[in-house]
Amino acid sequence: MFIKKVIKTDKKTKRQYVYYRLCESYRIKDSVRHRNLINLGDLKELPDPESKKALADSIEALLKGERALFKGLIDDKVSRLAQSFYSILINRGIVSKRQPEVAERIKEEDWQEVNIDSIRDDESREIGAEWLCKQAIDQLGIAAELRRLGWAKNNNKWINTALIQLISRMVYPASEHETEQWLKINSGVCELFELPWNKASRHQLNRASRMLYKDKEMIEEYLSVKTNELFDIEDKLFICDLTNTYFEGKKTSSEIACYGRGKEKCNDAKIAALAVVVNQVGFIKHSKLYKGNIRDSKTLTELAKGISSNTLLTGRKPVIVMDARFISEDNLKALKEEGYDYVCVSSADMKKYKEMETEEGEIRIKDNRDNPIYLKLIKDEDCRDNYLYVRSDNNRAKEEAMLGRFEEGLMAIREGISKKGGTKKVEKVYERIGRLKEKFPSVHRAFAIEVKEQGGMAVGIEWRTIKKSRDAGIYFIRTSLTIQKEAALWDIYNTIREVEATFRCLKTDFKIRPIHHQHDINSVSHLTVGVMCYQIVQSIRYKLKQKGIHHDWQNIVRIMNSQKAVTISFEINDGSRIHIRKCSEPVKEVQEIYNALGFKDRPYRRRKFVLPETEKLLL
């Protein structure tokens, strides 16, 4: 509330009159407005602006059922006028009376004389993001599931430690050693479990991770079913994909770390492969860790069996969406035997096909970046599946640009052979060609390269373009579904973006790579914790998206970290020291997130304890 000065001029006498109004601000979308509540008159009793501001603050405090912090410093005139205008507001029904519980709280207020110089802030810790994650964990019922699995020993010690580990990874993804320091110095997460800050050691966090891995299958199955029930989701699509994570160190005794073709192109580091299956809204239904040199196509059958065991299917089985790396005729046959339909990129070039009879010809749509895509349903004469012909001018331009850059690399090698001081030794020339192929793995097969040599020295290099069975920018989507609309099949295939977002979240937000652990049990536990954290975070982001909040997880943590827990202490007139532990008021953005999720905005309002003078001296 605020007091507004109004100047009126008498049209006849031209004399000016000054009076004041009590106004209240309010917001409509992005604009701030104000409304007049009552006229206050000329307020001659309060000549200075400070006293008028004190009057507005006092009226607002009375309406909220509060009292000013320094009661004795308020002017009697201000207090009397505030009480008078407060009565007018109530009697006229301009504002409603304060609630009974507010009045009761006022009666119970604890007033003390405080030594201002003794006020101190201690133990300021982040609490917002931790409290958000704790409530999401409670909503999913993870603690109850761990009790069902036999974790309820030592007064729930290991349940609490496991939940602290999960929250820590979500808010501050780091090694167990770093996490231990973060818990002791920065975070208030231990408060949420009523544990001392120095009790969660890295050894306990490591052991909790191993225990979670031991029950991984049961927990994963529980979360798969729980998220469907909690958010009323029917699994219509399953998206399969595989990613790599690499290790630091030699890992000579590891059974899962081995050299392979990693997507991070860390060819000097051993890797492991993580396969996941997510549904159409991004919740993980099944995950499994493989050796780093596993081929994607060898994992599909096992993933399909894992899906069936982790999901309650009440009707038709979901459609499985995957990319070309999973495709083999044996895999597709196995999926059909399990009762699954599929949508995938065809791994083979279509050499002969015919267009299907549809009402429309080739249709034009746009992708998420507003680039044109041309689609047409076609039929392979030698296969019972249906195909979608896809032509992208943007992809064609990319492929042609890569072909041009590859050819420029070949021309540079030729120039090195011909000029003085250039690379001429045959083995070195072949090394340069190999590095160029490694740089452009998708286009080098379009060239036939021949190096001419004489006496161990290269004297020339020739190349020619091999005619491909399809033009640049064209590929085919294969499906066992019977679909008559091109756009519908295209939309189904594009749900593969969900699994790409899943991997991006696992790698960026939960730091599943690189893995620094030297023992396999700790490595797989590290990945298990990351996958479980993803499930919890996805439950938060799924609800926020439904409310129109589309922040990524790192941005949510940044916003929530603005809420702190702090201990305020001060001396009172009898020499005792009062300590009050409070959570800060959530700022607007934090409150919006709490409201969207239906969560409480703080774990506690206030905790108070008094340290007598005698005990204070002993300290």
Side-chain angles (χ1 to χ4, degrees):
M1 289 183 177
F2 63 95
I3 293 176
K4 179 181 178 182
K5 182 179 180 180
V6 181
I7 301 175
K8 289 284 187 179
T9 303
D10 192 313
K11 292 181 180 180
K12 294 182 179 180
T13 63
K14 304 300 181 182
R15 183 179 177 182
Q16 290 187 334
Y17 299 88
V18 177
Y19 68 97
Y20 298 88
R21 289 175 180 168
L22 181 66
C23 301
E24 182 181 48
S25 299
Y26 65 100
R27 181 181 291 274
I28 297 180
K29 294 185 178 178
D30 294 329
S31 62
V32 178
R33 304 182 183 181
H34 71 266
R35 53 174 163 259
N36 299 326
L37 297 179
I38 57 172
N39 291 327
L40 303 178
D42 55 14
L43 292 181
K44 291 182 179 179
E45 302 95 327
L46 308 176
D48 55 294
E50 290 77 15
S51 58
K52 293 183 178 69
K53 184 179 185 306
L55 174 62
D57 293 342
S58 298
I59 296 172
E60 186 172 11
L62 287 170
L63 290 171
K64 290 182 177 180
E66 300 175 350
R67 297 182 183 178
L69 179 60
F70 303 106
K71 183 180 178 184
L73 300 179
I74 298 177
D75 192 295
D76 289 338
K77 291 179 182 179
V78 173
S79 180
R80 176 176 52 80
L81 287 171
Q83 189 64 49
S84 174
F85 291 129
Y86 166 75
S87 300
I88 293 173
L89 289 168
I90 296 298
N91 294 334
R92 292 183 183 178
I94 298 173
V95 295
S96 59
K97 294 183 179 181
R98 62 194 182 201
Q99 300 297 321
E101 60 268 21
V102 176
E104 184 65 26
R105 178 172 59 80
I106 292 175
K107 294 179 182 177
E108 297 175 356
E109 283 181 348
D110 184 5
W111 289 88
Q112 301 284 350
E113 292 184 10
V114 175
N115 179 3
I116 298 296
D117 294 333
S118 70
I119 296 177
R120 199 171 67 220
D121 295 340
D122 298 307
E123 294 295 345
S124 177
R125 291 174 177 268
E126 296 169 353
I127 199 71
E130 291 87 338
W131 176 231
L132 179 76
C133 296
K134 170 69 163 54
Q135 292 186 90
I137 286 173
D138 292 342
Q139 186 180 58
L140 291 171
I142 294 176
E145 176 64 11
L146 295 180
R147 290 189 195 95
R148 190 186 70 81
L149 294 174
W151 286 50
K153 298 177 182 178
N154 299 327
N155 198 24
N156 293 328
K157 172 185 175 181
W158 292 110
I159 293 178
N160 292 338
T161 305
L163 298 186
I164 289 173
Q165 171 71 312
L166 291 172
I167 294 173
S168 300
R169 179 72 74 84
M170 286 186 276
V171 178
Y172 184 77
S175 67
E176 277 73 11
H177 179 77
E178 267 190 87
T179 301
E180 180 184 12
Q181 300 304 312
W182 176 74
L183 290 172
K184 289 179 179 179
I185 299 172
N186 302 97
S187 176
V189 64
C190 292
E191 286 184 71
L192 304 178
F193 298 92
E194 298 183 352
L195 293 175
W197 295 316
N198 60 349
K199 288 299 182 182
S201 69
R202 61 183 181 277
H203 305 294
Q204 291 177 341
L205 295 174
N206 244 328
R207 182 176 174 184
S209 297
R210 292 194 295 269
M211 293 171 69
L212 287 170
Y213 170 69
K214 181 181 177 183
D215 291 324
K216 169 187 175 295
E217 298 298 331
M218 300 295 293
I219 298 172
E220 195 169 77
E221 179 181 349
Y222 168 78
L223 289 175
S224 172
V225 176
K226 181 67 176 179
T227 50
N228 280 18
E229 294 175 347
L230 186 62
F231 303 114
D232 193 22
I233 298 170
E234 180 184 356
D235 292 328
K236 297 180 180 179
L237 300 173
F238 285 154
I239 305 105
C240 303
D241 206 352
L242 185 142
T243 190
N244 305 114
T245 180
Y246 61 93
F247 295 85
E248 295 288 353
K250 295 183 178 180
K251 301 289 288 182
T252 54
S253 60
S254 173
E255 295 181 0
I256 61 172
C258 57
Y259 292 107
R261 185 178 176 181
K263 297 176 178 61
E264 291 83 8
K265 298 183 179 180
C266 297
N267 298 326
D268 59 338
K270 291 186 176 181
I271 61 175
L274 176 65
V276 301
V277 180
V278 304
N279 64 7
Q280 68 273 13
V281 293
F283 286 103
I284 292 177
K285 313 306 291 184
H286 181 63
S287 67
K288 189 169 181 61
L289 189 69
Y290 294 95
K291 291 183 177 181
N293 58 359
I294 190 77
R295 289 183 60 186
D296 294 13
S297 58
K298 292 185 177 181
T299 66
L300 184 60
T301 305
E302 191 172 358
L303 286 176
K305 293 179 181 178
I307 296 170
S308 301
S309 63
N310 282 14
T311 308
L312 294 177
L313 300 176
T314 56
R316 179 176 176 175
K317 286 190 174 183
V319 177
I320 293 182
V321 183
M322 52 202 159
D323 65 15
R325 294 173 301 164
F326 285 91
I327 304 308
S328 70
E329 291 301 324
D330 291 339
N331 280 345
L332 298 182
K333 181 180 178 182
L335 287 179
K336 293 296 290 184
E337 290 175 353
E338 290 285 335
Y340 290 104
D341 283 309
Y342 50 83
V343 175
C344 58
V345 172
S346 176
S347 58
D349 291 328
M350 299 282 292
K351 295 182 179 179
K352 53 181 179 177
Y353 59 84
K354 63 178 181 179
E355 295 185 359
M356 294 179 63
E357 296 295 332
T358 58
E359 296 179 358
E360 303 174 339
E362 186 178 81
I363 69 166
R364 180 180 183 271
I365 63 172
K366 291 187 177 182
D367 62 12
N368 57 355
R369 295 184 178 179
D370 213 32
N371 296 313
I373 303 287
Y374 300 91
L375 307 173
K376 181 65 182 177
L377 286 170
I378 61 175
K379 185 72 177 177
D380 186 356
E381 297 177 356
D382 299 328
C383 180
R384 298 179 62 182
D385 287 344
N386 296 319
Y387 289 81
L388 181 67
Y389 165 93
V390 183
R391 177 167 61 86
S392 169
D393 293 340
N394 192 51
N395 282 0
R396 179 170 59 98
K398 279 187 195 175
E399 290 183 31
E400 289 176 350
M402 285 191 290
L403 288 168
R405 289 198 295 271
F406 185 82
E407 197 159 5
E408 287 174 3
L410 292 175
M411 293 174 67
I413 295 173
R414 173 190 281 173
E415 185 179 349
I417 294 174
S418 61
K419 73 178 182 180
K420 183 178 179 181
T423 303
K424 296 181 176 62
K425 288 186 177 180
V426 170
E427 60 269 20
K428 295 296 181 181
V429 170
Y430 279 118
E431 282 183 15
R432 289 189 67 182
I433 295 173
R435 285 195 295 270
L436 185 63
K437 288 183 176 181
E438 186 179 25
K439 187 176 180 181
F440 298 97
S442 61
V443 299
H444 71 81
R445 294 182 181 86
F447 293 86
I449 304 171
E450 181 183 358
V451 177
K452 297 179 180 179
E453 60 177 295
Q454 185 177 351
M457 305 294 286
V459 295
I461 180 172
E462 302 291 337
W463 63 87
R464 60 185 176 85
T465 304
I466 302 173
K467 181 175 177 58
K468 300 186 71 175
S469 58
R470 65 174 178 85
D471 296 329
I474 294 175
Y475 58 96
F476 300 90
I477 296 174
R478 179 177 179 178
T479 181
S480 60
L481 296 170
T482 303
I483 293 181
Q484 299 299 323
K485 294 291 184 181
E486 289 90 343
L489 182 55
W490 174 253
D491 290 340
I492 291 174
Y493 173 71
N494 273 278
T495 56
I496 204 166
R497 305 288 181 267
E498 284 294 339
V499 76
E500 293 172 359
T502 299
F503 286 143
R504 188 162 53 249
C505 185
L506 285 168
K507 293 175 180 179
T508 304
D509 297 336
F510 308 127
K511 300 292 190 296
I512 66 167
R513 66 173 186 184
I515 298 177
H516 297 274
H517 297 287
Q518 297 306 306
H519 300 289
D520 282 354
I521 181 62
N522 292 333
S523 299
V524 295
S525 301
H526 170 82
L527 294 173
T528 297
V529 170
V531 171
M532 291 181 184
C533 289
Y534 171 82
Q535 288 285 72
I536 300 166
V537 166
Q538 182 63 13
S539 72
I540 295 172
R541 296 191 64 224
Y542 178 74
K543 289 185 69 176
L544 290 178
K545 286 179 183 178
Q546 290 182 318
K547 299 294 184 179
I549 300 175
H550 297 275
H551 300 318
D552 59 48
W553 179 242
Q554 289 184 347
N555 200 24
I556 292 172
V557 171
R558 178 189 61 78
I559 292 170
M560 299 305 298
N561 278 343
S562 65
Q563 189 176 26
K564 312 289 184 182
V566 63
T567 298
I568 303 171
S569 63
F570 47 83
E571 290 183 3
I572 57 177
N573 54 357
D574 66 356
S576 300
R577 191 166 192 89
I578 295 179
H579 296 258
I580 298 175
R581 185 73 175 166
K582 290 197 65 171
C583 291
S584 64
E585 293 282 339
V587 299
K588 175 189 171 185
E589 292 80 3
V590 172
Q591 191 65 58
E592 286 176 351
I593 290 174
Y594 281 134
N595 292 342
L597 296 170
F599 289 170
K600 295 180 180 179
D601 62 4
R602 68 200 84 184
Y604 52 83
R605 296 281 173 175
R606 183 180 68 180
R607 293 173 179 172
K608 172 185 171 184
F609 58 95
V610 180
L611 185 63
E613 180 69 20
T614 53
E615 294 186 25
K616 182 180 72 173
L617 292 175
L618 288 175
L619 294 176

